[in-house]
Amino acid sequence: MARLKIKSPGKKLQIKAHLSFGEHWNPKEREVLESTPPVGFMRLEMVNGRSAFYSAPADMTLERYLDGGLDRATFFRMIMQIVNVLRQIERLHLKFANLEMDPTWIFLNCHSRDLFFLYQPLEMPGDPVSPHKLLNMLANAASGYDTEAKAIDELRRLTAMTAVIQNSDLEALVLKYMPELQSGFLYSSRKKQPRKRGTMLMEDYEED
């Protein structure tokens, strides 16, 4: 994967990606991301030679956010957002291997709780990364809060017993416990919510 650097000037988080040796951008995938960015993806702002720049209205990594735990609504909503992103990868005929599933490179708007995923349009990506580890991290963060223990156990069984998790199985699990949550409304909420204690905004933060 391309080398990444996080920059956060003001309220818009930015990522700079620089191709590693032997890597090339995929022009067709670039066109998809630049014309109409799929919902939940970071916006590909510009490609300049071997560097690309992405942005999102986010202020925190998912990794940091999970340190504070997950309430019930956020837990189920995040699972549905993951389902939504994976379905768009299929619909647009993109490569799963180009999607970053590491919570270090998944970003969150701490007010709306919207997730933003980084997709790098590489010509020859590496091996695809499954969502199992990410889903288990969500389960661990939700444990001990107001989420039903049965729901957390069911998610853990899915990741432990299924090599390839079906989007329909994840959606069925969520709607079983939270039927009012529909994937079509995942990114419609912009109501400001208080930041949880112990979290940290990514102001003036860079990572090499």
Side-chain angles (χ1 to χ4, degrees):
M1 279 292 211
R3 299 190 302 273
L4 301 172
K5 179 181 289 186
I6 301 174
K7 295 185 176 182
S8 184
K11 295 183 178 180
K12 186 169 75 170
L13 180 139
Q14 293 183 321
I15 295 285
K16 178 183 178 181
H18 188 78
L19 291 175
S20 298
F21 180 78
E23 291 182 329
H24 303 279
W25 303 117
N26 183 310
K28 291 184 178 180
E29 293 192 353
R30 275 183 54 186
E31 184 178 352
V32 171
L33 297 179
E34 289 173 331
S35 58
T36 306
V39 175
F41 285 52
M42 296 190 73
R43 177 181 291 276
L44 177 58
E45 297 281 3
M46 180 179 64
V47 174
N48 183 11
R50 298 183 61 80
S51 296
F53 299 84
Y54 307 82
S55 68
D59 41 33
M60 187 180 299
T61 67
L62 178 59
E63 181 181 49
R64 287 183 179 178
Y65 188 84
L66 293 180
D67 288 341
L70 288 181
D71 60 64
R72 180 179 186 274
T74 305
F75 170 69
F76 287 124
R77 189 164 173 262
M78 283 186 176
I79 295 175
M80 290 294 275
Q81 289 182 76
I82 293 170
V83 169
N84 177 68
V85 166
L86 294 178
R87 281 181 171 160
Q88 290 190 87
I89 293 284
E90 294 176 345
R91 179 177 61 84
L92 296 170
H93 305 290
L94 300 174
K95 303 180 186 73
F96 285 100
N98 280 338
L99 180 69
E100 288 284 354
M101 297 297 287
D102 185 337
T104 304
W105 300 106
I106 300 172
F107 301 94
L108 175 134
N109 183 301
C110 67
H111 299 309
S112 66
R113 313 292 168 87
D114 288 347
L115 294 179
F116 296 93
F117 290 77
L118 176 62
Y119 184 92
Q120 299 193 69
L122 300 178
E123 190 69 56
M124 297 181 65
D127 296 327
V129 179
S130 77
H132 290 60
K133 180 180 178 180
L134 175 59
L135 292 168
N136 278 320
M137 292 182 72
L138 297 186
N140 292 337
S143 298
Y145 287 80
D146 56 346
T147 304
E148 294 89 341
K150 289 183 178 180
I152 295 174
D153 290 342
E154 285 184 39
L155 180 60
R156 285 175 171 157
R157 280 197 298 271
L158 269 179
T159 60
M161 300 173 61
T162 311
V164 179
I165 300 177
Q166 300 297 320
N167 291 327
S168 56
D169 290 337
L170 289 173
E171 184 175 34
L173 185 153
V174 171
L175 296 182
K176 175 181 176 181
Y177 292 94
M178 202 170 183
E180 67 273 21
L181 185 59
Q182 297 295 327
S183 59
F185 299 96
L186 289 176
Y187 288 84
S188 61
S189 174
R190 290 294 183 271
K191 182 178 180 181
K192 186 174 181 180
Q193 300 190 36
R195 179 157 37 113
K196 296 190 303 180
R197 182 179 302 173
T199 57
M200 182 184 299
L201 293 178
M202 295 182 58
E203 295 173 352
D204 303 320
Y205 175 84
E206 288 194 5
E207 180 172 310
D208 293 320

